[in-house]
Amino acid sequence: NTNVSLPASLQTIYGGGVVINGPGYWIVQGQADDPPLFLEHLHSGYDTVVTLHHASSRPVVIRHSSGLRYQPDCQHGNVPGDLFLEDVIPHLGLSLCNGQRVWARQLNTEEPVLDVNATGTNTSLWILGWKLEKGAEGLANVTQGARLEAMSVFAYTTSRPASLTKPAFLAQDGGQVSVSLREFNADHNPFKVLACEQRNGQDGCLFANTTYPGMVGGAGGHGFALLNMFK
C-alpha cells in the first residue's frame, strides 16, 4: 500500500520470479537521456496489483514479467518515454498516450473487454508475437492518427455474446492498423467483423467471410492492412 519512486540512478530491478503484492505505485523518474529502466522477472498478483506509473520521458523495458499494471501519465499533454516489452503479460491490457511509442515481442494480453487502446498522432505500437484472450468488446481501438502494426497474432477469444457485432480492430479518425491474425473461438462465435475504419460518420469494414484488395486469408488466418478504407 505504498508508493515507491524509481530514480534515474536505479537501472535494473531483477525479481528472480518473485511475486509482489500490491496495491501500490512504482513511479518512474528520470529523463529521455537517462539509461533505460529495466524491470525483469517480476510478477504481481491479479487482485493485489502493483502499478507502474510512467510519467517521465525515461525509456522503460519490461521483460519476462506478468501481472504488473502499466499506467502512462497522459495528463496535460505529457508523453511518457518509449516502452519496450518482451515476454510480458500486463494487467488489464495496454492504454497509450498521445505520441507514445511501444515495441513488444511475445505479448500476452488477457483483458476481458478491450486489449489495446491507442490514441493520438505519433502514437505507435509494434508487436511481434501477440496472444489475446476473451475480446468481449474487441481487440484494439486505434484512433486519432495512432498506428498499430502486429505480426503473428493469435486471438483465443471467449466470453463474447453471439449478438456482438463490434469489430476485432477499430480504426477511427486516421488511425492505421496492419495485422496478421488467427482466431480460435471455443464457443464457435468468432469475430464476424475483422476491422472497421470510421471517418466523418462513415464506416468501411472488412468482414471475416469476404475479401478486400491486399488481404490474404487461409486456414483460419487473416492478414490485412486497414490504412484507408475510403480510397
Side-chain angles (χ1 to χ4, degrees), residues 10-126:
L10 176 65
Q11 296 190 23
T12 302
I13 298 178
Y14 185 88
V18 68
V19 176
I20 304 169
N21 290 322
Y25 285 82
W26 290 5
I27 303 171
V28 179
Q29 297 180 335
Q31 304 300 322
D33 55 355
D34 287 321
L37 172 65
F38 282 81
L39 304 174
E40 302 191 56
H41 294 275
L42 292 164
H43 306 281
S44 183
Y46 190 85
D47 295 322
T48 55
V49 176
V50 171
T51 298
L52 183 70
H53 186 73
H54 193 186
S56 78
S57 56
R58 183 184 185 188
V60 170
V61 181
I62 306 176
R63 303 178 64 207
H64 312 304
S65 299
S66 66
L68 295 175
R69 181 188 177 208
Y70 178 75
Q71 182 187 73
D73 187 341
C74 306
Q75 297 183 358
H76 310 298
N78 183 64
V79 180
D82 293 342
L83 175 66
F84 300 86
L85 304 171
E86 182 178 15
D87 185 25
V88 171
I89 307 175
H91 180 73
L92 297 182
L94 289 174
S95 291
L96 308 180
C97 290
N98 185 2
Q100 192 174 15
R101 301 185 300 176
V102 179
W103 291 265
R105 185 170 62 179
Q106 292 178 252
L107 179 66
N108 183 358
T109 54
E110 300 185 9
E111 162 59 31
V113 179
L114 182 68
D115 287 87
V116 166
N117 186 40
T119 184
T121 304
N122 298 323
T123 301
S124 63
L125 174 59
W126 181 92

Side-chain angles (χ1 to χ4, degrees), residues 150-163:
M151 293 164 282
S152 298
V153 182
F154 176 66
Y156 180 71
T157 52
T158 60
S159 308
R160 188 168 65 245
S163 59

Side-chain angles (χ1 to χ4, degrees), residues 140-142 165-173 175 177 192-199 202-207 224 226 229-230:
N141 285 356
V142 183
T165 58
K166 291 186 178 180
F169 296 89
L170 176 62
Q172 296 174 299
D173 302 322
V177 174
K192 300 176 181 64
V193 185
L194 295 177
C196 281
E197 181 182 12
Q198 296 180 349
R199 188 190 307 177
Q202 299 184 66
D203 289 353
C205 294
L206 178 63
F207 295 89
F224 55 88
L226 185 59
M229 294 291 287
F230 296 101

